[in-house]
Amino acid sequence: GKAVEAPLHLDFSGQGHVRALLVLEEGAALTVLERSDAADTRNVGFEIALGANAQLHHVRLAPASDAVQVEEISIALARDARYHGHFANFGAKLSRIELAIGLEGEGAEAHLSGVSVLADAAHADVTTHITHALGRTQSTQLFKKVAGGKAQAVYQGKITVAHGANGSDSRQTAKAILLGGRAEADLKPELEIFADDVKCAHGAAVGDLDADSLFYLRARGIPEKEARHLLIHAFLEDALADIASADLREIVRGAVSHALDGLTA
C-alpha cells in the first residue's frame, strides 16, 4: 500500500554477471530508473513480481558502447497490477534484452514502449513475449527505431492469449527509419491466440524520412541537419511520451538528442 515518490535508481554499470529481484506487494507503487552503461560483457537476470493492484514504472537507459550486453527480465503481474516499461537503447557491439511478461491475474496490464538511435555498426535487439494467462487483461507495445551507418535494429514481439483468456486486449506496433543504404531493421510482431473473444492487433513498418516533409522544412530556411533532427524527434516522440515521469522523460530525450547529434553529423 505504499507509494514511493522518488525514483529508485538501479545501476548495473561495469558489472559482469548480475541477478536482481524486485517485489512490489499489494497496492505498492514505484518508479525505477535502470542504467546499464558500458562493460566488456554484461549478463543480467532481473525478476519482477507485482502483487494485486501494484504499479511499477520502469525506465531502462542503455547508452552506446562497444560491449556485449545481454539482459533477461521476467515479470509476473497479479490481479489489477500495472507495469509500464520504457527501454531506451543506443546500441552496443551486441545488445539484447528479452522480456517475458505474464499477465496472471484478471485486470492486469503491461504497457511497453521504447526507442533506439543507432549509429556506425551498433546493434540493439528487443525481444518480448507477453502471455495473457487470464481474461480481462491488456497489453500495448510501441517501439520506434532509427538506424544509420551499418547499424542493426531488431524487434521481436510475441503475444500469447491462453485458452479461456476471453476479453484480452493486445496491441503491438514497431516502426523504423533507415538513414543509410547499409542500415538494417528487422521487425517481427507475432500473435498466438487460443481464445475467441479477444481484441488483438499488430503492425510493423520500415522506411526512410519522408522526402516531402524534409523538402517542406528546407524550403522554409531550416538547414538539412536541423530538419532531419525535427523529423526524427517527431517520429520518436509518441514512444517517449509514454514515460510518465517528466524528469525521466527529459533524461531520455536528452540521450536521444545526443545520439542524433552523432548520427546526423
Side-chain angles (χ1 to χ4, degrees):
K2 182 175 180 59
V4 181
E5 294 186 6
L8 172 68
H9 290 254
L10 297 178
D11 193 343
F12 297 140
S13 301
Q15 303 185 50
H17 301 280
V18 181
R19 183 166 179 84
L21 171 65
L22 175 63
V23 178
L24 268 65
E25 296 181 351
E26 183 173 357
L30 179 68
T31 297
V32 169
L33 174 61
E34 176 191 347
R35 289 184 178 271
S36 298
D37 288 342
D40 289 338
T41 300
R42 189 180 62 253
N43 175 27
V44 178
F46 194 3
E47 184 177 356
I48 299 172
L50 303 184
N53 292 294
Q55 296 190 44
L56 176 62
H57 292 265
H58 177 200
V59 177
R60 180 182 184 271
L61 182 60
S65 75
D66 294 323
V68 174
Q69 304 173 351
V70 180
E71 180 166 353
E72 183 172 352
I73 302 177
S74 176
I75 308 169
L77 287 80
R79 172 183 51 82
D80 294 323
R82 288 173 175 79
Y83 173 78
H84 296 261
H86 182 86
F87 303 89
N89 192 325
F90 300 96
K93 181 179 179 181
L94 185 149
S95 174
R96 181 180 174 97
I97 179 168
E98 296 189 25
L99 293 108
I101 301 176
L103 304 179
E104 300 174 356
E106 284 199 359
E109 298 181 9
H111 302 283
L112 309 181
S113 62
V115 296
S116 292
V117 179
L118 309 175
D120 301 323
H123 171 273
D125 180 334
V126 176
T127 296
T128 70
H129 185 191
I130 299 179
T131 301
H132 292 252
L134 291 180
R136 206 175 61 81
T137 51
Q138 182 180 356
S139 67
T140 61
Q141 300 182 66
L142 176 61
F143 286 88
K144 297 287 191 75
K145 298 176 180 291
V146 178
K150 296 185 290 183
Q152 182 183 19
V154 181
Y155 165 79
Q156 303 177 82
K158 182 176 181 179
I159 298 293
T160 299
V161 180
H163 289 283
N166 294 323
S168 295
D169 186 345
S170 175
R171 288 162 287 145
Q172 54 179 326
T173 301
K175 295 183 179 182
I177 288 178
L178 301 181
L179 299 181
R182 303 184 70 182
E184 180 179 343
D186 304 301
L187 310 179
K188 180 177 171 283
E190 180 181 352
L191 295 173
E192 187 176 43
I193 303 172
F194 298 102
D196 296 326
D197 183 17
V198 301
K199 292 191 295 183
C200 293
H202 64 334
V206 178
D208 197 353
L209 286 175
D210 182 67
D212 290 340
S213 298
L214 186 59
F215 176 80
Y216 179 89
L217 294 176
R218 295 195 66 193
R220 278 145 185 82
I222 300 176
E224 182 176 358
K225 179 178 178 180
E226 185 178 347
R228 287 179 171 273
H229 265 222
L230 288 172
L231 292 175
I232 294 173
H233 273 289
F235 170 74
L236 298 173
E237 181 58 31
D238 53 348
L240 295 173
D242 287 343
I243 304 174
S245 167
D247 290 341
L248 297 186
R249 189 164 59 247
E250 289 307 312
I251 289 174
V252 176
R253 279 185 179 141
V256 167
S257 294
H258 178 72
L260 287 177
D261 285 339
L263 184 60
T264 59

